[in-house]
Amino acid sequence: MRLLIVEDERRMAAALARGLRADGFAVEVVHDGRAGLEAARFGSYDAVILDIMLPLLSGYEVIRALRAENNWVPVLVLSAKDGEYDQSDGLDLGADDYLTKPFSYVVLLARLRALLRRGKPARPAVLSVGDLTLDPGRRQVKRGDTPVALSTREFALLEYLMHHAEQVVTKVTLLDHVWSAAEDTHVNLVEVYIGYLRRKIDAPFGRRSLQTVRGAGYRLTADPA
């Protein structure tokens, strides 16, 4: 099994590489994001262990670039950025796992083996409702051929609605699936974000695909041009 370590802290990278080689892996190490991206593109690795705070390109940028190119090599992020939003951003961009520093080598090895057992994931299916498309892998939304820029929350809300197209979805259901239980939220927040979505996916194109079903919730439909 061939592994790529992208880590700018050289002593940590060397120690991690020694341990993984002792456990039977073939390991290559690079120390900045640009070199990591090039190596991951052309090196035919079974998995990548990737730091986030890297010179030249951040780990987030490396993940984004790989997934945009349909490169689905398993990526395990290993980072000192331990906030819940840091981890959420990494996973949303396409990382397969996220482990914070300081870390247990035993746990890292177990997670790495789990990734390798799963192999390269298939590219997530592109969702479409009429001419509105959402690509989960590339984190892209388009109305026809026109890209639509969404925030992370707007993207998650639209993705859930597209998975349940032509169905009425309640505000409470959206709140439960798009917002975390730890957040201080109210159903009125759903109305606010529905408004944001309409101004981006419907209004500029003269559409009314995101409909309010009075007293019930919302429905996303294939509204014709």
Side-chain angles (χ1 to χ4, degrees):
M1 290 289 187
R2 299 186 68 228
L3 304 179
L4 173 66
I5 297 173
V6 189
E7 169 64 67
D8 64 328
E9 193 174 328
R10 291 174 181 264
R11 290 179 62 184
M12 175 180 288
L16 183 56
R18 281 196 304 272
L20 291 169
R21 286 173 184 139
D23 280 302
F25 295 97
V27 182
E28 293 185 33
V29 180
V30 296
H31 300 294
D32 66 71
R34 188 173 296 162
L37 178 57
E38 290 304 301
R41 277 172 168 161
F42 305 114
S44 189
Y45 295 98
D46 295 289
V48 177
I49 299 173
L50 179 69
D51 191 12
I52 292 297
M53 295 181 287
L54 293 165
L56 303 182
L57 287 177
S58 73
Y60 294 137
E61 291 172 299
V62 172
I63 297 168
R64 184 183 292 113
L66 289 173
R67 298 322 188 214
E69 296 167 4
N70 291 332
N71 185 327
W72 301 100
V73 60
V75 174
L76 190 159
V77 170
L78 186 61
S79 176
K81 291 175 71 69
D82 59 358
E84 60 182 17
Y85 289 107
D86 297 317
Q87 297 177 55
S88 173
D89 287 344
L91 295 169
D92 283 345
L93 284 171
D96 299 278
D97 201 353
Y98 196 115
L99 188 60
T100 59
K101 301 173 182 176
F103 62 95
S104 160
Y105 177 77
V106 172
V107 172
L108 180 143
L109 191 59
R111 291 192 176 188
L112 185 59
R113 285 174 173 155
L115 279 184
L116 294 169
R117 283 197 298 271
R118 293 200 294 267
K120 289 187 180 181
R123 180 171 178 261
V126 174
L127 304 175
S128 62
V129 178
D131 68 345
L132 181 66
T133 59
L134 181 148
D135 187 331
R138 294 185 178 182
R139 310 296 295 176
Q140 290 181 347
V141 174
K142 291 183 178 180
R143 172 70 81 178
D145 293 326
T146 305
V148 179
L150 299 181
S151 70
T152 300
R153 186 78 70 188
E154 292 162 356
F155 188 96
L157 180 58
L158 180 60
E159 185 174 16
Y160 189 83
L161 288 166
M162 292 184 78
H163 274 294
H164 299 83
E166 307 295 343
Q167 302 175 33
V168 177
V169 183
T170 68
K171 294 177 185 177
V172 172
T173 298
L174 290 170
L175 203 60
D176 287 344
H177 286 84
V178 178
W179 282 264
S180 75
E183 295 177 275
D184 184 15
T185 56
H186 188 274
V187 289
N188 290 343
L189 192 60
V190 177
E191 297 177 15
V192 171
Y193 274 86
I194 289 289
Y196 293 160
L197 269 184
R198 283 177 172 147
R199 287 196 287 273
K200 292 183 176 181
I201 67 170
D202 279 348
F205 306 95
R207 304 299 182 82
R208 298 181 62 188
S209 63
L210 184 44
Q211 302 172 353
T212 298
V213 181
R214 192 171 300 278
Y218 302 99
R219 178 172 53 216
L220 185 68
T221 67
D223 183 52

